[in-house]
Amino acid sequence: MDALKLKYRVLTSLLVGLILSFSVVFIWMQNNQKIQQSRTDTINETGKLLFQQFRNNVIESVYTLKNLKSRFEVTNGNYFDYWEYDASLIIEQNPSFLLVEWIDKDMIIRRIEPIQGNEKAIGLDISQFDYRRSDWQEARDDSLINFTHWLELVQGPNAFLVDAPVYFKDGFKGTITAAMNFKEEFNAIMAGLDQYHAVLKDEKGVTFYEKGESLNTSHPNEFTATIDFRSENINTGDWTFTLKPNQTFESNFTDLGYYLNLALGLILSVLVAVLIFIAQITYSAHKKARSANEKVRALIDSSPMAIYTINKNGIVTDFWNKAAEEMLGWAKEEAIGRFIPHVTKKSEAEFKQLMSERLKEGNIRNKEIIRTRKDGSPVHLRLNVGRIVEDQKADPQMLVALEDITKEKEYQKRLENSVRETEVLLSEVHHRVKNNLAIIAGLIDLQKQGLNDKTLEALLEETQNRIFSIAGVHELLYNTDSFTEVTFDKYILTLIERIKQTYKSSKQEIHIEYDFDAKPIGINQAIPLGLLLNELITNSFKHAFPGRTKGRIEIALHEKNNQIKVVYSDNGKGMKNSDFDSSQTLGVTLIKTLILQLDAEYEIDTTNGFTFSFTFTKGGKGSHSNI
């Protein structure tokens, strides 16, 4: 279910993001079209303006030449001797004029201004040049100003030659001709228009003027126009004017912000989609949190434990459930916003100490305290405190849980009294058993004093040792805190010492070595184990070393994985397995019976002396079992 919801939220956010992105791209493309149209309009308007200025500049120069021609015609040639002066002024004032010359009706260049540098042109017959002859003659015949194409002058630089035919005294006299190069004038017109590449070509397609850097590519927004001078009575071909935007123009119109707007729009679309996704997740989280909070409050209200929250000053800030009302006596309205009502002045110091420990060391767990109910009665409580606001800058809020353990404490007190009574009773029982066994042993001792039969006396001593073996266990139980287990190494050492005292009158020197490694064992196994070792040690003292003055007994007792292994050995004469199995003596019978009682597995090895080993499970059968 959660996976489907997540998938739905992701798809919704993606759909919104895609719609916004498409909208941004559409608006950007619309704006791009407007910008492209604006660029085209800008280029066209600029081209038209330049076209007009170029044309006007050329016509003004032609008119200047026509004015000079008019002076010849108005004065009927009398001005002929002074035209060089006016020509020099024109050349000085109009940089388009490179030179002005007089060509007579025979097509011979007779005079030229300035003369310096142009001496070679004097006397030149232009009829020798095909590209000049026909155009010049046409200007003569039609009385039109002739405008040549772009050509290289005999004098040097390239220029246009403009022939203005002169008529006076009823006849054609020649032409006043000017060499014109419009570069400086056109450069002035193009000043500040570095973002364009302008090109002017004559009627033959020869480029005579070019300005600005070129993109070296055809541009869809270029401006092209044809300059026609024929309406001004000028005999010339049409010029072609082309204006293209260059890299500077592209940079001005295609700046970073232009594409940055698209990028920002797309980024905003993605951010909106992400925000919508986050908003959905946040709303879902808030909804879950609100639901969880309602569940927590319901759980707290139904809890059998008193639960409430406090700040570090002990002011109740929230919750105070029904259990708190019933356990302590104060209603929720009486507790919220006030200092903890069940903390009296007597227990306030203890409360402050607990709060100090809580703030320094952490949570409080299972702390038993005594507080006072609203009716004044004491109540035993088990306190648990946990911090629920861990922000160090915020006022720490702590959740308090109280469990009423008043009845538990009463039961505990009764149980402790019962345990003490039981301990006293068990101690008295063990004391009395020990005393009764001591009395029996004493009676046997008295019985021995009246006997002259050594065999019977020895039997009584064995019986007496068996009683002492049992009494030793009860003595240890009486002198320890446990009434179910004994420390066996201490017990067995006492047992060994007593047996040695019994046979100390013998001339034999029996050395006993032991190695004990076992935890305390229960009384049900301690008594049969003690009796078993008593029988083995006694048999070794009586039968293992006949005719010998020295002997050695080794006893090892180890516990591993709840298994107790006992290895008893002496370096005496030993006993055959068959003799042990068939023996009907009281001692062997007791050994077999005690092995059965311990539920032990045993082995006998008589290879070198006598070794009797057996293993039993700790906590298994014992003296309480049927034998």
Side-chain angles (χ1 to χ4, degrees), residues 5 9 280-294:
K5 289 182 178 179
R9 292 169 187 148
Q280 293 181 88
I281 296 295
T282 304
Y283 173 76
S284 177
H286 285 171
K287 187 176 179 180
K288 289 181 179 179
R290 187 165 55 251
S291 176
N293 187 44
E294 292 174 355

Side-chain angles (χ1 to χ4, degrees), residues 476 485-497 514-521 526 529-530 533 555-559 564:
L476 285 174
E485 293 182 332
V486 297
T487 306
F488 194 74
D489 53 353
K490 184 177 180 181
Y491 164 62
I492 198 64
L493 291 176
T494 303
L495 180 64
I496 291 170
E497 196 61 34
Y514 46 84
D515 180 16
F516 299 145
D517 179 19
K519 298 177 182 178
I521 60 176
L529 181 58
L533 290 175
I555 306 172
L557 187 146
H558 297 285
E559 178 181 345
I564 295 179

Side-chain angles (χ1 to χ4, degrees), residues 310-316 339-340 351 355 395-396 398:
I310 59 173
N311 60 19
K312 64 180 181 180
N313 298 318
I315 304 300
V316 180
F339 183 75
I340 306 175
F351 166 76
M355 289 300 297
D395 185 18
M398 284 154 281

